[in-house]
Amino acid sequence: DAGVIQSPRHEVTEMGQEVTLRCKPISGHNSLFWYRQTMMRGLELLIYFNNNVPIDDSGMPEDRFSAKMPNASFSTLKIQPSEPRDSAVYFCASSLPTGPNEKLFFGSGTQLSVL
Amino acid sequence: KQEVTQIPAALSVPEGENLVLNCSFTDSAIYNLQWFRQDPGKGLTSLLLIQSSQREQTSGRLNASLDKSSGRSTLYIAASQPGDSATYLCAVRDSGYSTLTFGKGTMLLVSP
């Protein structure tokens, strides 16, 4: 099992540029989550999908952020245009809903720096 | 809205000590609680999950307890080792239809 795979591991870009983060969940998992982690705010849920459908996007900070899940094995998080305050580590996680024992599995994250 | 607090924010101990990490949550009607470990530059790894009907879970040198009525959980690490150095995060799930709410974590350093 390869685990949750995220790319790129690091992204450095200039303010105003478009950034696309990618995620491949664990095969068979039908829930996918995008989180953002900063020192000040900790881990924040941005959006989550169930069976490729966005269920809750209330954590998406503004219209500059968008996420898609075109199929069960791929999701993207896009920021356009990017701003310095978007600098953070972005994590993707997946799970298989199994009731009270449902566990979340995280990718290694994408470290985003917007200059 | 559920809020999760972890105290202390950082902890430094010598190798061999037993230690306790604390997690508190504001809404006691939870579905389950998870403890995660995060190494620098890495993602989170689930360590222990306690269902709302359970009082504790154990895995090796780790023991997590849950007291829903007081809104608290503790992670006990026995005979700490330098390899235990990491950030430990607590996360609470309010229902079967909700997502996890995370604390900001406790950064642990175990020195040889």
Side-chain angles (χ1 to χ4, degrees):
Chain A
D1 187 348
V4 177
I5 299 173
Q6 291 186 245
S7 65
R9 288 283 284 127
H10 303 275
E11 176 80 34
V12 180
T13 191
E14 291 187 349
M15 182 174 63
Q17 296 297 306
E18 177 179 297
V19 175
T20 299
L21 311 182
R22 297 172 175 80
C23 175
K24 176 178 169 57
I26 292 173
S27 177
H29 284 190
N30 60 357
S31 290
L32 183 140
F33 306 79
W34 282 100
Y35 285 89
R36 179 172 66 178
Q37 185 178 42
T38 60
M39 288 291 292
M40 286 294 294
R41 301 172 69 92
L43 262 173
E44 301 174 284
L45 178 66
L46 300 176
I47 185 172
Y48 85 95
F49 295 84
N50 186 252
N51 292 323
N52 311 337
V53 176
I55 302 300
D56 182 359
D57 65 355
S58 60
M60 296 286 262
E62 46 197 275
D63 291 345
R64 296 185 298 106
F65 286 69
S66 63
K68 294 182 179 179
M69 191 163 186
N71 57 62
S73 59
F74 184 66
S75 176
T76 59
L77 178 67
K78 185 177 294 186
I79 308 173
Q80 166 62 21
S82 58
E83 297 183 1
R85 60 192 168 119
D86 301 331
S87 298
V89 181
Y90 291 81
F91 287 104
C92 176
S94 70
S95 71
L96 179 63
T98 53
N101 272 328
E102 178 183 342
K103 289 187 178 180
L104 209 56
F105 294 83
F106 280 77
S108 296
T110 294
Q111 173 77 60
L112 174 64
S113 297
V114 183
L115 307 177
Chain B
K1 179 184 174 185
Q2 180 75 267
E3 293 184 4
V4 180
T5 304
Q6 291 188 245
I7 296 174
L11 181 63
S12 182
V13 300
E15 181 178 7
E17 272 201 13
N18 302 325
L19 57 98
V20 173
L21 307 181
N22 297 293
C23 171
S24 61
F25 42 96
T26 53
D27 187 343
S28 61
I30 66 170
Y31 187 66
N32 63 31
L33 181 146
Q34 278 187 256
W35 282 93
F36 291 84
R37 169 183 172 140
Q38 185 176 23
D39 292 287
K42 301 287 180 64
L44 281 70
T45 300
S46 181
L47 295 173
L48 291 165
L49 182 149
I50 310 176
Q51 298 178 31
S52 63
S53 58
Q54 297 173 328
R55 297 281 296 182
E56 64 177 349
Q57 283 287 331
T58 298
S59 176
R61 294 182 295 107
L62 305 180
N63 176 276
S65 67
L66 174 64
D67 184 344
K68 279 201 316 177
S69 61
S70 65
R72 293 182 180 178
S73 175
T74 61
L75 180 66
Y76 175 82
I77 303 178
S80 58
Q81 304 171 357
D84 295 329
S85 299
T87 297
Y88 292 82
L89 294 97
C90 166
V92 168
R93 190 170 175 194
D94 292 332
S95 75
Y97 303 100
S98 67
T99 56
L100 290 173
T101 301
F102 283 85
K104 291 189 176 180
T106 294
M107 186 183 302
L108 173 65
L109 176 64
V110 182
S111 52

